[in-house]
Amino acid sequence: MGVYTNCHVLLELLFFAASLLRSCSALERFSSNYVFGDSLVDVGNNNYIATVAKANYLPNGLDFPPRLNPTGRFCNGRMVVDIIGQELGWRTFTPAYLAPTTVGDVVLDGVNYASAASGILNGTGRNYGGRINMDCQIDNFAKTRQSIISKMGSSAASEHLGNALFSVTTGSNDFINNYLLSPTTAVFVTPETFVNQMIARFNIQLRRLYDMGARTIVVVNVGPIGCIPDQRDKNPLARDSCVGLPNQLAVLFNKKLKALIMDLNSNLAQSKFLYADVYSIVSDIIQNYQSYGFENFDSACCRLAGNYGGLAPCILLSTVCPNRSKYVFWDPFHPTDATNFIIAKRLLDGGSNDIYPTNIRQLMQAN
C-alpha cells in the first residue's frame, strides 16, 4: 500500500511538472502566426490564382529546404516570416491560405494570406492580373476566424487569437505598381494626397484585424524601394545611386505610418502594434554591405536583363550568381535568404531604431 501511495504521489508530481513545463513553454511562444502582405511574404498563395506574379518555378527556391524547392516564394530561400517562425520555435512554416492542405486543425497554428503584387489600395498591382489585395486577405482571415470559433468556441478562440502573432508587410506595390507606374497619376495626384489615401485605408484594415481579435501586430514599413535593381535599371540617370523619388515616397509613407501605429496603440485597448523599420535596416545593409559579408549590394543575383538585372523577372533562362549569400538582392525586387535572415534577426532582437516600441522577443517574454 505504501509503495502504491508513493508511486501515486510521484505520478502526480510528474503530471504537475509536465503541466508547469507546458505553461512555461506557452509563455515563451505565441499561440500561432497569421501573415498578411505582398510578395515579400507570399509563400505560395499566388500559385492558385490567375496572375503573372508567380514564383513556383526554379531558380526560385534554389536554396529552400529541401533544396530545389520552388514553393512560390520570391526568393532563393526563406522569407523573413519563415525565419522568424523558425527562431520562435514553430515546427513548420506557416502555410499559404489557398493551399489545399491548409484546412482543419492546421489553421490553429497560423495561416499566411499574403499575395504577390497586392497592396493596401485595391487597384494596386492590376498590371499583373490576379492578386489578393489587403481587404480580401482580411476577408479570408475572417473565414479562418469563423472556423476557429466553430472548433474552439468564442471565448477560447478569442484567447487563442489574442495570444497569436500577426504581421502585415505591404505598401511597396502601391508605389511601384500603382503611383509610379502611371505618369498620369503622378501628374494629377500629389505624393502627399496619395500617401494620405494609403494611410486612411490602412487604418481601416488594421482596425479590422483588431476588431477580429488580433492584439499583437507587427507592421512592416516600406523599404528603400529606390535602391532595388528594378528602380535602378528603370531610372538610369540615377547612375550608381538609389533613385530619389521612390525613396522619398517611402519615407513620407513611413513617417505617417509610425504616427498611425502610435495612435492605434494609444486608442485600442490591449493592442500591441509594433512598427518594424525595415527601411532603416535595409538601408544600413546596403550602405555597409561589406561589414555584413556581402560582395554585391545593388544587382540581382538571378538576372536576365538590365545593368543591375532589374528589367526581367527571375526565370529558368536567368543567370544565377554562384554564391547567393554574397548578394543583397535575389531578383529585381526581393532580398536573398541571407538578407532576410539579417532583417528577421533585427526584428526579433534589435533596438528601438529597428522595431518600435520593443522587439518581438522582448514582447513575447513580457506577455
Side-chain angles (χ1 to χ4, degrees), residues 276-292:
D277 195 353
V278 169
Y279 185 100
S280 293
I281 296 172
V282 175
S283 294
D284 179 45
I285 293 171
I286 290 171
Q287 291 165 14
N288 302 290
Y289 68 98
Q290 290 176 314
S291 66
Y292 286 99

Side-chain angles (χ1 to χ4, degrees), residues 39-40 59-60 62-63 74-78 172 176 222-233 240-243 247 278-279 281-289 292-304 307-314 318-343:
S39 57
L40 292 169
N60 296 295
L62 189 62
D63 303 303
F74 289 78
C75 187
N76 63 300
R78 301 161 298 172
S172 297
I176 297 171
V222 173
I225 52 178
C227 301
I228 63 177
D230 167 81
Q231 289 299 301
R232 289 181 186 272
D233 269 329
D240 292 331
S241 300
C242 295
V243 184
N247 278 357
V278 169
Y279 185 100
I281 296 172
V282 175
S283 294
D284 179 45
I285 293 171
I286 290 171
Q287 291 165 14
N288 302 290
Y289 68 98
Y292 286 99
F294 294 111
E295 295 176 357
N296 185 293
F297 67 94
D298 57 6
S299 301
C301 166
C302 183
R303 56 189 300 158
L304 183 64
N307 291 331
Y308 299 96
L311 295 181
C314 180
S318 301
T319 300
V320 179
C321 61
N323 192 342
R324 274 77 69 188
S325 67
K326 298 301 181 181
Y327 274 66
V328 172
F329 292 102
W330 165 242
D331 64 12
F333 303 96
H334 308 97
T336 57
D337 179 285
T339 305
N340 283 336
F341 182 81
I342 296 169
I343 296 170

Side-chain angles (χ1 to χ4, degrees), residues 38-39 115-119 124-125 128 170-179 333:
D38 53 30
S39 57
S115 172
S118 70
T124 292
Y128 283 95
T170 189
S172 297
N173 284 321
D174 292 287
F175 297 121
I176 297 171
N177 292 305
N178 190 330
Y179 189 78
F333 303 96

